[in-house]
């Protein structure tokens, strides 16, 4: 088949996916599977081959993602239920003081957003935003936007949050490099979209804490120590980074392969690193703080509920990628892309942004863009670092222009007391700043790796 026809199949597939999700309100998991079937059949694959490709893509992707997302969900649940998120935010606000509290809030969101889902972290920490706004008589947005920026950046940029984990697996990027670049690029992006933009927009929109707000009187003695929370959060990140560095040194023959490097790479694999971090969290944040074993079991089971749909959607994205590979569409598009002026970072960002703006879900946007980009990347001799930057480009694009078709838009508006226009002026602009500045920094770094 001609390259033009196969390219049209991909365009039709994206349109079909959006129609299924938006017009027919079909679950994203089912919609992605249907789209994968359409791509396979339209490209001329035998029916059985299409089904085999979907099975292979689902299995290959979920073998990694299900384990990481599942462990990460339990890890985050222990941090949330123990009061660790609140303890971290309170400590930082106390150390920074009220004048620099926006920087305390962006850091709180940044670190809490690594193990805890975005909406959960926001709901846990919003009372601190209420209290600060009440005491200083400033707009809620002065503190709320920095908190949201910190949460949104790590939710999209830094594993073990599901989005970057799924994208990294689909396009075969090393999580260690994704974590490294996620921190290096994420911090300036969060500061720009958070304290800097928050200071500006809070002067334009005055929002007071809700009348029903009553500050919680949780004693600081009952909360976990700040230092303990920080090192528990950093355990998996440090172990994964250590394994990545060790692997690079062995590959480049800086150190000899042996038992010790193998051990470092074993404990730094995302599976091992997250198992260690989760067990440490269960012991120090659970058992040591008086949680009964049955309570910890119930919390672990509860944590896996929200992770289930993310895991399934990710698997469906892997199925779409596999069909694109087996049908030969990936090779055709890769050849066309290699001759075009579009750098892969920019194309990845644009694909994710298109799906995000149209259907609202950042996770679906990430996975769809990753599924299309994965077979295209074979045309480029990309280093591991460059693949990690592709992950961040996709994550940035999937953050852009949150509006009325995104559940986060309504969640933020409700808790900050904003109408639709004010939410567009604040939250939507903040998300777009993250997307555009993330792209700019990712493109800049891509020229040097």
């Amino acid at each position: 088949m001609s390259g033009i026809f196969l390219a049209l199949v991909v365009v039709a597939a994206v349109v079909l996916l959006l129609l299924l999700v938006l017009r027919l309100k079909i679950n994203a998991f089912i919609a992605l599977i249907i789209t994968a079937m359409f791509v396979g059949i339209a490209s001329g694959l035998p029916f059985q081959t299409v089904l085999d490709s979907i099975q292979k893509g689902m299995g290959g992707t979920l073998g990694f993602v299900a384990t990481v997302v599942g462990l990460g969900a339990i890890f985050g649940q222990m941090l949330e239920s123990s009061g660790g998120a609140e303890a971290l935010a309170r400590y930082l606000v106390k150390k920074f003081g009220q004048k620099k509290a926006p920087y305390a809030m962006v850091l709180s969101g940044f670190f809490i957003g690594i193990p805890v889902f975005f909406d959960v972290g926001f709901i846990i920490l919003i009372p601190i935003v209420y209290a600060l706004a009440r005491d200083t008589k400033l707009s809620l947005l002065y503190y709320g936007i920095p908190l949201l920026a910190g949460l949104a950046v790590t939710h999209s940029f830094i594993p073990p949050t599901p989005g970057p984990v799924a994208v990294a697996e689909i396009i075969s990027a090393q999580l260690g490099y994704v974590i490294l670049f996620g921190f290096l690029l994420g911090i300036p992006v969060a500061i720009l979209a958070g304290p800097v933009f928050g200071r500006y927009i809070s002067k334009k929109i005055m929002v007071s804490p809700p009348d029903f707000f009553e500050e919680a009187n949780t004693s600081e003695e009952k909360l976990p120590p700040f230092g303990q929370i920080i090192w528990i959060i950093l355990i998996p990140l440090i172990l994964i980074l250590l394994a990545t560095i060790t692997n690079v040194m062995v590959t480049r023959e800086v150190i000899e392969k042996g038992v010790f490097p193998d051990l470092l790479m074993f404990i730094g694999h995302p599976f091992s690193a997250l198992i260690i971090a989760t067990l440490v969290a269960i012991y120090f944040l659970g058992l040591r703080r008086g949680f009964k074993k049955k309570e910890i079991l119930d919390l672990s089971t509860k944590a896996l509920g929200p992770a289930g749909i993310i895991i399934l959607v990710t698997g469906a994205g892997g199925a779409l990628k596999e069909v694109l590979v087996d049908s030969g569409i990936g090779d055709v598009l890769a050849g066309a892309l290699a001759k075009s002026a579009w750098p892969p970072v920019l194309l990845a960002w644009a694909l994710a942004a298109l799906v995000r703006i149209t259907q609202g879900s950042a996770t679906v946007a990430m996975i769809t863009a990753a599924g299309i980009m994965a077979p295209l990347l074979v045309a480029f001799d990309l280093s591991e670092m460059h693949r990690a930057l592709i992950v961040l480009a996709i994550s940035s694009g999937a953050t852009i222009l949150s509006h009325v078709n995104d559940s986060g838009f309504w969640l933020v508006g409700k808790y900050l007391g904003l109408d639709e226009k004010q939410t567009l002026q604040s939250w939507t602009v903040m998300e777009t700043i993250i997307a555009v500045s993330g792209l700019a920094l990712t493109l800049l770094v891509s020229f040097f790796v």
Side-chain angles (χ1 to χ4, degrees), residues 401-420:
L401 212 63
S402 166
H403 58 95
V404 295
N405 61 2
D406 177 20
S407 61
F409 177 91
W410 300 104
L411 177 74
V412 170
K414 173 186 174 184
Y415 275 90
L416 293 182
L418 304 169
D419 60 30
E420 285 81 1

Side-chain angles (χ1 to χ4, degrees), residues 62-73 159-161 165 175 269-271 274:
L62 291 185
F64 178 82
V65 172
T67 307
V68 173
V69 173
L71 288 169
T161 51
V165 167
L175 282 189
H269 187 280
F271 290 2
L274 278 167

Side-chain angles (χ1 to χ4, degrees), residues 35-310:
T35 303
M37 288 181 172
F38 166 79
V39 170
I41 294 169
S43 62
L45 285 178
F47 293 145
Q48 187 58 48
T49 303
V50 172
L51 297 176
D52 291 343
S53 295
I54 290 173
Q55 180 176 338
K56 180 182 175 183
M58 282 283 294
T61 303
L62 291 185
F64 178 82
V65 172
T67 307
V68 173
V69 173
L71 288 169
I74 297 171
F75 178 53
Q77 183 68 54
M78 292 308 305
L79 188 74
E80 172 200 341
S81 300
S82 66
E86 183 182 349
L88 187 149
R90 282 193 181 191
Y91 178 89
L92 289 174
V93 168
K94 186 176 179 180
K95 289 297 180 182
F96 277 77
Q98 284 188 342
K99 286 188 177 180
K100 295 183 178 178
Y103 289 92
M105 295 313 298
V106 75
L107 283 177
S108 298
F110 195 89
F111 282 101
I112 295 305
I114 295 171
V116 177
F117 288 126
F118 171 87
D119 52 350
V120 175
F122 177 60
I123 292 168
I124 290 172
L125 298 182
I126 192 63
I128 298 175
V129 172
Y130 291 159
L132 285 167
R134 183 199 61 190
D135 294 344
T136 60
K137 303 296 188 281
L138 294 172
S139 173
L140 279 175
L141 296 177
Y142 188 71
Y143 305 104
I145 289 295
L147 171 62
L148 288 165
L151 288 167
V153 167
T154 47
H155 177 73
S156 297
F157 283 28
I158 302 178
T161 51
V165 167
V167 175
E169 174 61 14
I170 291 172
I171 71 167
S172 302
Q174 283 195 16
L175 282 189
Y177 285 124
V178 178
I179 291 170
L180 177 63
F181 286 122
F183 266 96
L184 292 177
L185 306 185
I187 290 175
V189 167
I191 291 173
L192 178 62
V196 174
F197 175 65
R199 187 183 305 115
Y200 166 80
I201 196 64
S202 64
K203 294 176 183 176
K204 304 290 183 183
I205 303 173
M206 180 62 199
V207 193
S208 301
D211 295 334
F212 61 80
F213 167 64
E214 291 184 11
E215 188 173 2
N217 294 317
T218 308
S219 169
E220 289 195 22
E221 287 75 21
K222 294 181 180 179
L223 296 173
F226 169 79
Q228 186 182 76
I229 296 301
I230 285 294
W231 71 257
I232 288 176
I233 290 175
L234 291 178
I235 282 174
L237 307 182
I238 292 172
L239 289 177
I240 292 170
L241 278 172
L242 185 61
T244 300
I245 293 168
T246 304
N247 184 54
V248 170
M249 294 178 72
V250 169
T251 302
R252 296 182 178 179
E253 298 182 350
V254 175
I255 59 175
E256 291 184 7
K257 190 172 182 179
V259 175
F260 185 64
D262 285 349
L263 179 62
L264 287 178
M265 286 188 282
F266 174 76
I267 64 174
H269 187 280
F271 290 2
S272 308
L274 278 167
I275 287 172
I276 292 168
T278 302
L279 291 177
V280 168
I282 287 172
Y283 178 71
F284 285 100
L285 301 180
L287 297 174
R288 283 280 296 268
R289 300 190 64 78
F291 282 69
K292 302 230 177 341
K293 293 176 182 177
K294 179 67 166 58
E295 289 179 278
I296 293 174
L297 177 60
D298 291 342
L299 287 172
S300 300
T301 303
K302 174 186 173 185
L304 295 177
I309 184 60
I310 296 170

Side-chain angles (χ1 to χ4, degrees), residues 9-55:
V9 170
V10 174
V11 173
V14 173
V15 172
L16 173 63
L17 174 64
L18 296 175
L19 285 174
L20 291 171
V21 174
L22 293 176
R23 299 291 296 175
L24 300 181
K25 306 299 181 186
I26 291 178
N27 179 278
F29 167 66
I30 299 174
L32 280 164
I33 294 295
I34 293 172
T35 303
M37 288 181 172
F38 166 79
V39 170
I41 294 169
S43 62
L45 285 178
F47 293 145
Q48 187 58 48
T49 303
V50 172
L51 297 176
D52 291 343
S53 295
I54 290 173
Q55 180 176 338

Side-chain angles (χ1 to χ4, degrees), residues 297-429:
L297 177 60
D298 291 342
L299 287 172
S300 300
T301 303
K302 174 186 173 185
L304 295 177
I309 184 60
I310 296 170
I311 290 170
L312 286 174
V313 169
T314 303
L320 175 60
K321 178 204 77 171
E322 194 64 35
V323 171
L324 285 169
V325 172
D326 291 347
S327 66
I329 291 177
D331 293 337
V332 172
L333 294 181
L337 179 60
K339 298 173 185 176
S340 75
W342 281 61
V345 165
L346 184 56
L347 179 63
W349 183 90
L351 282 170
L354 173 65
V355 180
R356 159 69 161 180
I357 292 169
T358 310
Q359 58 81 45
S361 170
T363 302
V364 173
M366 287 185 194
I367 290 165
T368 303
I372 295 173
M373 285 299 299
L376 273 62
L377 295 178
V378 298
F380 300 88
D381 186 20
L382 297 180
S383 66
E384 292 291 348
M385 290 186 180
H386 209 123
R387 283 184 178 269
L389 291 174
I390 297 291
V391 174
L392 295 185
I394 289 173
S395 300
S396 297
T399 306
I400 197 170
L401 212 63
S402 166
H403 58 95
V404 295
N405 61 2
D406 177 20
S407 61
F409 177 91
W410 300 104
L411 177 74
V412 170
K414 173 186 174 184
Y415 275 90
L416 293 182
L418 304 169
D419 60 30
E420 285 81 1
K421 180 181 177 182
Q422 291 171 329
T423 310
L424 286 167
Q425 292 172 325
S426 54
W427 159 256
T428 303
V429 173

